[in-house]
Amino acid sequence: MSESVKGFKFVDEVCKNPIKKVKELKEKTGRKIMGYICAYPPIEMLTAANVIPYRVFGDVNEPITEGDRVLPPVICSYVRSIVDLSIKGKFNFLDGVIWSHSCDCMHKGGFVYTSIVGKPEPYVLEIPTTVREGTIDVFKYELSEFKKWLENFAGKEISMEELKEAIEKHNKQRFLVRKLYELRQQDPPLISGVETLKVISVVEALPVEEGNKVLEEVIDEAKKRKDKPKKQRARLLIWGSIIDSPALLQMIEEAGANIVMDDTCVCSRQFWLHSQDPSIKTTGDLIENLARSYLLENKCPRIYLGSYGDLKKDYKKDLEERFGYLKDYIENWKVNGVIIHSLRCCDVHGYEVPQVKDYLSMLGVPSIYIEPEYDAKSLPPLRTRIEAFLETIS
Amino acid sequence: MSGKKRVIRRLESMRPLRAKVDQSYMDSVKAMQEGKPVAWCMFNVWIGDVILKAMDIVAVYPENYGAVCAAFGAAEKYLNLADSDGIPSHVCGYSRNCLGYAIRMFKELNGQIPPEAPLGGMAKPVLLLASSTGCDPRYKWFQLLGRYMDVPIWTLDTPTPSTIEHIMDEKYGEQVIRFMTKDLKEFVKFLEKLLGKKMDWAKLDEIINATIEIHRVWFEVNELRKAVPCPMHSRDFWSAMPPALFLAGDPRESVKLYQDLYKEVKYRVDNGIGAIPEEKYRLMFSELPPWHSLGFFEDLAERGWNFVIESWSYHPPIPLSKDLLEKIEDPLERIVRHFYQFITGYARETIKMGIKCYSFSAPYLVWAKDYKVDGAMLHPLITCRAATSHLYEMGEMLMRVFKVPSLVVEGDIVDLRVFNAEDALRKAEAFEETMQHYKDERKKAGLGW
């Protein structure tokens, strides 16, 4: 690809074959590439170790065959897809892959991957379930252990100066992603849901510096371009399980909606820190800063958030503590409908569904629940339901 | 199976242990009527149970109650209520049963126990005790119960080693044990505030010691099952397990019942008495049994199938040395070390055997050899990921390492329709040839059985 290809054009080109681009980078720079499968591994450490972080995606268009041999269908199809592609050798370009205890399927998928697949070399990161001082210490210890393993893997020690520099670069990326999302606050949004996912997926396949450059170019171009998205009859937020392929978003946008915000794993959850200062601190104990930010400020339902250890429980207060951030999304992005999305067999989202729905009802925001498989073929039957939902809210 | 000849020789000493389950539900209802505190608990590998018992809180286990409702044919009503209230149908069947029960109890009956509930029902709780051990529903499900009842909740957070190196690393284990022990102390403080009474530490010490002793005897009972023919069938294991698994009853009294069980099983071993008349095949069962169709095992017993080991997550840990346990002054640390041994013990054994497997398959790889099994019956459940995720891996590893074949029979924990006993029996018949073939293969490979 020519150096002059920039912004959205660059994104479109890389999206066609991100693995090709990463292989080129590997060849050119000699850097190792580490896959990661969820938003909890601290990728700042990878950058500090001179390793390229690469977000591993499944493939909704590839039938799961080998994966079904080692993982039963009751395991979420996203995890089965990744194991399937691993057995088929699609990730052979990676030097290692980080699994994590982000949910039961991912955790046990990591164990099965270790015994049956084994290559690229896995690491399974343990993550506590609750957020309190004791669990932050546990996660800090876990991250120190991970750092040791990573240093051995990368063949170099990670200095605190390198880690600080890496955190700064990733903080810049968080800032730029927020700027990208701010483009969607306008009506009509300056960038569509599908385009956002494509940009993010390219950013997550590149070294942080290059990803930041892409973000800057795209933001600049989106502000100036004439062929921006058209105003549609609804402004939607999509909440839920992982979406790493544009197919679902494309179907929704083609049905007549602007997807203006998301609360999903590959996109906003990877970058959003829900604190006053939305960046990781670069002073003091950096490992502890990473542990705190990743554990406390990531709003994935796999973490037990909300009323805890209180003598009296109050459901409405509990919902506010857990989902209050959605109110900000809804107000700032002028959302008038929410798509609640849980992949079949995704427990952590499945249990959350009735409660998110309750919270949205409290806010007076209409919502619809969809439960597809991680498979492009499961999407067309949803279109009629989406259209009916758009009809009711517009 | 009524009217049909029973082939499995049931153990008499199992019966008082089985009776503890029914008693525990009646106790919970009585406790509620008397104004005593009741908690709904997830299976928590004993670390929370012992504390509740020492604080005189009566615990009931909605997971176990899911199996009870399935066995009594009462689950369908509760599952339908859960469905109609927007609970996704793909989440754990036990949880859907419990959520449906809660809808019935709190939305329809204003907190009263549903009159149709089997075994007197689950009493209204003052506490929900969740756990992060083993699966996500163990904490997400109780969080969702907040939709139906404003009851305080505590989650026992149990981070566990997730790499082979960490399983083998003593230092890693020590930091987990330190965290969990401290965390249990916080739980005690919370209960003291909730109930307005102090912990009786001497009583807690006794209960923890009795629990560990139950598990030691229970482990020894299962060791006896390595004998050929195997003296105790899986059905007796499942019937006898509640006082060891859920600590149903008073552990200080249950020790004696397990000692009686040991004596009866030992008598059978000493006299060459098997659990079935003619043991042709020795089987493992993984994981949760079809509670609603246990008579199925009688049909297999008639064919000479003896189930000699089963359901890892219902088993006690490999015992820690008495010397080590006696040196630990803090009873909470003692039960945490016991917990940690449960989580890591078999995985460590498997790794020592040179097998890179540390999922829930690990115990079966240890057992396959020790119990000289001819085959494994794998029971994937349509809504239980924890008990299903490792099954195909296990089948592959058993074949790869020990040339032991597996038979997959699908089912569910509460939905009776998924399990087809007739179809399973047809498959079983064909599987006998496979087991015979691999018996020969193992001999050729010098595997020893």
Side-chain angles (χ1 to χ4, degrees):
Chain A
M1 197 188 308
S2 147
E3 294 285 328
S4 61
V5 178
K6 286 182 177 175
F8 282 106
K9 201 168 176 196
F10 177 86
V11 167
D12 283 339
E13 285 298 313
V14 175
C15 263
K16 284 178 197 159
N17 192 347
I19 291 174
K20 184 172 163 239
K21 174 71 186 166
V22 180
K23 279 180 179 169
E24 282 170 11
L25 272 172
K26 186 176 176 174
E27 211 163 285
K28 198 167 137 192
T29 63
R31 292 170 71 181
K32 285 188 173 177
I33 303 176
M34 175 75 78
Y36 64 101
I37 311 177
C38 111
Y40 278 92
I43 50 178
E44 290 80 357
M45 283 192 184
L46 304 184
T47 298
N50 198 31
V51 171
I52 300 174
Y54 177 87
R55 175 88 194 210
V56 173
F57 290 172
D59 186 346
V60 292
N61 295 306
E62 167 84 23
I64 299 169
T65 50
E66 294 298 306
D68 279 352
R69 196 167 54 75
V70 293
L71 283 171
V74 68
I75 297 299
C76 104
S77 36
Y78 169 69
V79 170
R80 279 188 291 123
S81 173
I82 287 173
V83 170
D84 182 69
L85 297 172
S86 302
I87 296 173
K88 289 170 181 169
K90 186 169 175 191
F91 300 128
N92 284 352
F93 67 96
L94 295 174
D95 297 286
V97 60
I98 309 167
W99 288 79
S100 47
H101 191 172
S102 32
C103 64
D104 208 21
C105 287
M106 193 75 83
H107 196 216
K108 287 170 179 146
F111 293 171
V112 170
Y113 176 95
T114 304
S115 64
I116 302 279
V117 187
K119 294 279 173 192
E121 188 181 351
Y123 186 92
V124 184
L125 182 74
E126 177 64 14
I127 308 166
T129 305
T130 56
V131 282
R132 44 199 203 257
E133 282 306 311
T135 54
I136 291 164
D137 288 345
V138 167
F139 197 44
K140 183 182 163 189
Y141 183 86
E142 198 64 47
L143 294 189
S144 307
E145 288 291 291
F146 173 64
K147 179 170 169 279
K148 275 191 239 164
W149 177 85
L150 181 61
E151 286 172 336
N152 189 43
F153 169 88
K156 80 178 281 298
E157 276 190 30
I158 301 170
S159 72
M160 284 304 121
E161 200 44 51
E162 286 166 327
L163 187 56
K164 180 174 180 264
E165 203 180 305
I167 293 174
E168 281 166 353
K169 287 175 184 171
H170 284 277
N171 277 344
K172 183 177 177 190
Q173 189 153 94
R174 289 188 178 88
F175 171 80
L176 288 170
V177 169
R178 283 196 179 230
K179 288 284 162 207
L180 180 79
Y181 272 65
E182 281 171 16
L183 301 176
R184 303 165 80 187
Q185 290 178 342
Q186 298 197 31
D187 193 18
L190 298 184
I191 177 168
S192 71
V194 170
E195 286 173 323
T196 306
L197 176 58
K198 283 184 173 177
V199 172
I200 295 290
S201 59
V202 167
V203 166
E204 289 176 351
L206 297 175
V208 63
E209 304 85 349
E210 295 197 32
N212 288 350
K213 186 165 161 272
V214 171
L215 283 164
E216 283 167 340
E217 288 167 4
V218 164
I219 292 167
D220 191 43
E221 194 180 326
K223 285 178 183 167
K224 293 175 187 160
R225 68 178 175 169
K226 293 201 174 105
D227 56 340
K228 60 187 180 186
K230 291 189 175 55
K231 183 176 167 66
Q232 300 281 10
R233 54 183 161 160
R235 292 175 62 84
L236 300 183
L237 179 155
I238 187 156
W239 172 95
S241 303
I242 191 157
I243 298 173
D244 61 3
S245 145
L248 173 64
L249 304 185
Q250 192 169 337
M251 190 258 282
I252 297 167
E253 293 193 320
E254 283 174 1
N258 293 121
I259 297 175
V260 294
M261 191 50 186
D262 63 71
D263 181 23
T264 60
C265 181
V266 165
C267 286
S268 66
R269 275 188 210 153
Q270 177 72 48
F271 301 93
W272 240 254
L273 298 175
H274 289 270
S275 61
Q276 300 236 315
D277 175 12
S279 55
I280 296 175
K281 276 201 250 166
T282 51
T283 53
D285 184 336
L286 299 183
I287 306 289
E288 182 171 327
N289 297 350
L290 287 168
R292 276 188 186 279
S293 294
Y294 274 86
L295 201 61
L296 295 175
E297 296 175 30
N298 188 336
K299 296 288 184 185
C300 174
R302 62 83 54 204
I303 279 278
Y304 186 102
L305 296 171
S307 306
Y308 180 79
D310 293 343
L311 295 181
K312 180 84 183 79
K313 192 161 189 286
D314 178 331
Y315 184 52
K316 283 187 179 166
K317 184 174 154 242
D318 191 43
L319 293 181
E320 194 61 54
E321 281 177 35
R322 289 159 63 191
F323 306 118
Y325 68 99
L326 290 178
K327 196 190 323 182
D328 297 337
Y329 288 175
I330 287 162
E331 284 172 3
N332 292 329
W333 274 265
K334 301 173 205 74
V335 168
N336 63 351
V338 176
I339 294 186
I340 298 173
H341 164 258
S342 171
L343 285 174
R344 268 195 81 74
C345 301
C346 177
D347 277 336
V348 292
H349 285 89
Y351 284 102
E352 213 85 329
V353 166
Q355 300 165 94
V356 171
K357 219 169 169 47
D358 286 349
Y359 184 69
L360 294 171
S361 297
M362 273 165 57
L363 299 180
V365 178
S367 63
I368 181 175
Y369 170 49
I370 57 172
E371 188 188 272
E373 284 283 2
Y374 183 81
D375 180 350
K377 289 197 291 294
S378 73
L379 299 180
L382 291 175
R383 190 181 172 108
T384 316
R385 287 189 61 215
I386 299 286
E387 282 173 344
F389 175 63
L390 295 178
E391 197 64 41
T392 55
I393 64 170
S394 53
Chain B
M1 295 302 292
S2 60
K4 191 168 175 180
K5 187 183 161 198
R6 291 180 189 271
V7 182
I8 301 169
R9 294 175 180 136
R10 306 302 299 269
L11 292 159
E12 279 309 308
S13 51
M14 160 275 292
R15 299 185 197 284
L17 288 163
R18 187 172 63 183
K20 293 275 184 189
V21 178
D22 301 9
Q23 187 62 45
S24 66
Y25 287 104
M26 285 186 271
D27 287 350
S28 82
V29 174
K30 194 165 160 252
M32 186 183 81
Q33 286 160 351
E34 291 171 356
K36 289 181 186 164
V38 172
W40 287 10
C41 285
M42 286 295 150
F43 170 60
N44 56 67
V45 197
W46 319 296
I47 53 174
D49 305 323
V50 289
I51 292 172
L52 296 183
K53 283 197 177 286
M55 294 290 278
D56 295 320
I57 300 172
V58 177
V60 287
Y61 296 83
E63 287 168 277
N64 178 261
Y65 197 65
V68 169
C69 288
F72 278 80
E76 197 178 348
K77 182 184 184 73
Y78 301 136
L79 296 177
N80 287 339
L81 280 169
D83 285 352
S84 60
D85 216 36
I87 314 294
S89 61
H90 64 80
V91 301
C92 161
Y94 284 164
S95 75
R96 286 167 55 231
N97 180 76
C98 171
L99 290 158
Y101 181 91
I103 292 166
R104 176 96 173 108
M105 188 175 196
F106 291 97
K107 282 177 86 171
E108 294 184 355
L109 299 170
N110 199 25
Q112 297 301 307
I113 295 174
E116 75 284 354
L119 298 182
M122 290 193 293
K124 190 178 168 183
V126 298
L127 166 73
L128 300 174
L129 181 58
S131 161
S132 69
T133 309
C135 73
D136 298 327
R138 290 215 165 90
Y139 63 101
K140 297 305 292 182
W141 155 7
F142 272 20
Q143 198 171 28
L144 178 51
L145 274 176
R147 198 177 189 218
Y148 306 107
M149 53 173 111
D150 277 344
V151 172
I153 182 164
W154 186 275
T155 297
L156 296 164
D157 201 341
T158 59
T160 43
S162 292
T163 68
I164 287 173
E165 291 70 25
H166 286 158
I167 284 170
M168 303 306 280
D169 180 1
E170 208 174 300
K171 198 175 148 212
Y172 185 95
E174 289 302 318
Q175 67 89 25
V176 170
I177 289 163
R178 267 197 307 279
F179 161 74
M180 284 180 58
T181 306
K182 201 172 158 197
D183 206 41
L184 287 185
K185 288 195 168 86
E186 291 298 316
F187 178 46
V188 170
K189 279 188 208 160
F190 166 75
L191 288 180
E192 287 178 337
K193 262 196 262 172
L194 182 71
L195 302 179
K197 66 181 270 193
K198 287 283 168 195
M199 165 62 85
D200 180 343
W201 290 95
K203 187 176 172 188
L204 177 68
D205 195 49
E206 277 178 29
I207 290 170
I208 287 175
N209 288 344
T211 300
I212 293 172
E213 179 59 9
I214 284 176
H215 291 161
R216 191 191 63 75
V217 180
W218 190 212
F219 179 85
E220 293 301 332
V221 170
N222 289 301
E223 287 288 285
L224 292 173
R225 299 168 70 195
K226 290 175 181 171
V228 180
C230 172
M232 176 177 155
H233 191 278
S234 293
R235 283 211 62 186
D236 277 335
F237 174 89
W238 292 318
S239 294
M241 75 185 183
L245 185 69
F246 297 113
L247 305 187
D250 185 333
R252 292 167 295 186
E253 291 164 13
S254 300
V255 174
K256 161 91 176 46
L257 299 180
Y258 282 100
Q259 287 165 343
D260 292 345
L261 185 73
Y262 180 87
K263 282 178 203 158
E264 190 180 356
V265 178
K266 180 79 168 56
Y267 175 83
R268 283 193 179 180
V269 173
D270 292 345
N271 292 280
I273 302 167
I276 63 170
E278 192 186 353
E279 179 180 284
K280 289 185 192 161
Y281 304 103
R282 295 169 66 84
L283 275 294
M284 295 197 288
F285 188 92
S286 179
E287 201 60 52
L288 278 61
W291 297 114
H292 38 73
S293 311
L294 290 173
F296 164 71
F297 290 96
E298 293 285 351
D299 295 318
L300 291 173
E302 268 193 77
R303 304 188 63 84
W305 291 40
N306 200 359
F307 282 81
V308 301
I309 196 79
E310 62 294 290
S311 316
W312 163 70
S313 57
Y314 296 163
H315 270 258
I318 301 166
L320 291 168
S321 83
K322 274 192 172 180
D323 284 353
L324 172 79
L325 291 168
E326 278 167 9
K327 277 183 202 154
I328 304 166
E329 285 181 16
D330 181 351
L332 292 178
E333 183 187 333
R334 212 176 303 134
I335 196 70
V336 167
R337 285 189 186 276
H338 189 65
F339 164 93
Y340 196 72
Q341 172 71 353
F342 172 81
I343 296 294
T344 57
Y346 281 104
R348 270 200 300 274
E349 293 301 309
T350 315
I351 295 163
K352 280 186 213 160
M353 284 159 69
I355 304 168
K356 222 176 179 181
C357 176
Y358 59 115
S359 67
F360 288 179
S361 303
Y364 297 92
L365 293 167
V366 177
W367 288 339
K369 191 176 177 210
D370 289 354
Y371 286 79
K372 300 184 179 64
V373 302
D374 296 305
M377 182 175 278
L378 312 180
H379 188 219
L381 306 167
I382 56 165
T383 60
C384 182
R385 277 160 270 293
T388 302
S389 61
H390 58 293
L391 295 184
Y392 292 4
E393 174 211 29
M394 179 179 151
E396 175 128 348
M397 296 300 283
L398 283 172
M399 180 53 73
R400 197 189 283 182
V401 181
F402 294 121
K403 296 187 186 299
V404 169
S406 302
L407 174 67
V408 176
V409 177
E410 284 169 345
D412 189 43
I413 37 187
V414 289
D415 190 341
L416 288 75
R417 293 162 301 184
V418 186
F419 184 78
N420 184 333
E422 282 175 17
D423 185 50
L425 280 171
R426 272 195 296 275
K427 281 184 184 171
E429 205 176 322
F431 187 63
E432 286 171 5
E433 268 186 46
T434 310
M435 285 196 284
Q436 194 55 52
H437 169 76
Y438 281 103
K439 227 176 216 186
D440 298 340
E441 289 291 309
R442 283 196 300 279
K443 271 185 197 151
K444 274 189 227 162
L447 281 163
W449 78 98

